[in-house]
Amino acid sequence: MPFMLPNLPYAENALEPHIDAKTMEIHRGKHHNAYVTNANKALEGTPMAEWSVEQVCRRLKEVPADKMGPVRNNAGGHFNHSLFWEIMAPSVKGGEPSGDLAAAINGAFGSFSEFKEKFAAAATGRFGSGWAWLCVHKGGKVEVCSTANQDNPLMKDSIGDAAGCGGTPILGLDVWEHAYYLNYQNRRPDYIAAWWNVVSWKKVGELFAAGK
Ligand code: MN3
């Protein structure tokens, strides 16, 4: 099965005022759609065309060398954006993690607010385009990292340090300008501060439980 552009689990305007409908429309309908189309094109006729996008990211080094660049960028882009839509939700109003995830965050960073500072610093400090991540390692330890372009931590075996911490991403923030420029222009820190209002800690907690 080729990759498919996923539907949003909410309306395009549901994350307003923090993320506006026009940004959501272009971001998913144009940018994410292009990653899906180009990943399918690059993988066509290879054995990897049958793999899930997570498998493709984890086993990137098995992709034929002449397709490695396009697959890294576009399968990476597909995985990253699919996660991004899922970990946001309307009306969560800046909730907090609970249960085992809260305990893991407090254990790793001291407190939820210290975690947020560290994550925001990773997102703000990413020069150019990329992502900030909260990842879980086997055993349940959580870690913050950042990657450039459409790289992600699943690619650790194939791209080394460019994949950040190498855990399983459970929270990701897109800091490409296309994610915020219409509403926030150059003010990436304002976008990051507003984004906390739409993080679905329920979903992140599910991903933590599945990935630990
Ligand atoms: Mn994007």
Side-chain angles (χ1 to χ4, degrees):
M1 269 292 282
F3 299 142
M4 305 260 290
L5 183 67
N7 291 318
L8 291 176
Y10 38 77
E12 274 175 351
N13 65 359
L15 304 180
E16 291 190 344
H18 309 295
I19 302 183
D20 62 287
K22 192 71 182 171
T23 295
M24 292 298 289
E25 179 196 334
I26 295 170
H27 198 176
R28 178 182 154 280
K30 304 293 185 195
H31 293 276
H32 188 175
N33 193 50
Y35 299 128
V36 170
T37 302
N38 291 328
N40 286 336
K41 203 186 294 176
L43 288 166
E44 197 178 2
T46 73
M48 296 83 197
E50 304 299 315
W51 295 0
S52 70
V53 68
E54 182 173 336
Q55 269 184 303
V56 172
C57 291
R58 287 191 187 279
R59 297 170 65 180
L60 196 60
K61 63 185 174 190
E62 297 173 48
V63 171
D66 62 324
K67 307 198 179 234
M68 177 75 122
V71 172
R72 177 177 175 174
N73 289 336
N74 292 289
H78 177 40
F79 175 86
N80 297 348
H81 288 82
S82 299
L83 178 70
F84 189 52
W85 312 135
E86 289 288 327
I87 54 83
M88 296 189 288
S91 306
V92 289
K93 296 194 173 58
E96 293 194 10
S98 59
D100 291 347
L101 173 60
I105 286 175
N106 291 337
F109 306 104
S111 66
F112 180 56
S113 63
E114 286 169 281
F115 153 71
K116 282 172 74 179
E117 277 176 34
K118 183 148 195 210
F119 187 94
T124 309
R126 167 52 54 192
F127 183 76
S129 298
W131 292 75
W133 305 103
L134 175 67
C135 293
V136 62
H137 295 278
K138 286 290 168 203
K141 183 175 175 288
V142 290
E143 190 169 358
V144 163
C145 69
S146 154
T147 56
N149 303 315
Q150 296 298 351
D151 292 343
N152 67 50
L154 299 177
M155 300 173 179
K156 190 73 173 182
D157 286 348
S158 306
I159 65 170
D161 287 347
C165 74
T168 299
I170 58 174
L171 178 70
L173 175 58
D174 189 340
V175 295
W176 285 55
E177 282 190 344
H178 69 223
Y180 61 88
Y181 206 83
L182 290 181
N183 205 23
Y184 296 95
Q185 291 80 49
N186 61 321
R187 303 187 310 277
R188 186 189 288 186
D190 291 356
Y191 158 69
I192 296 167
W195 175 75
W196 293 115
N197 289 295
V198 295
V199 171
S200 170
W201 288 107
K202 180 172 174 285
K203 182 67 186 181
V204 181
E206 291 167 11
L207 293 170
F208 172 78
K212 72 181 178 180

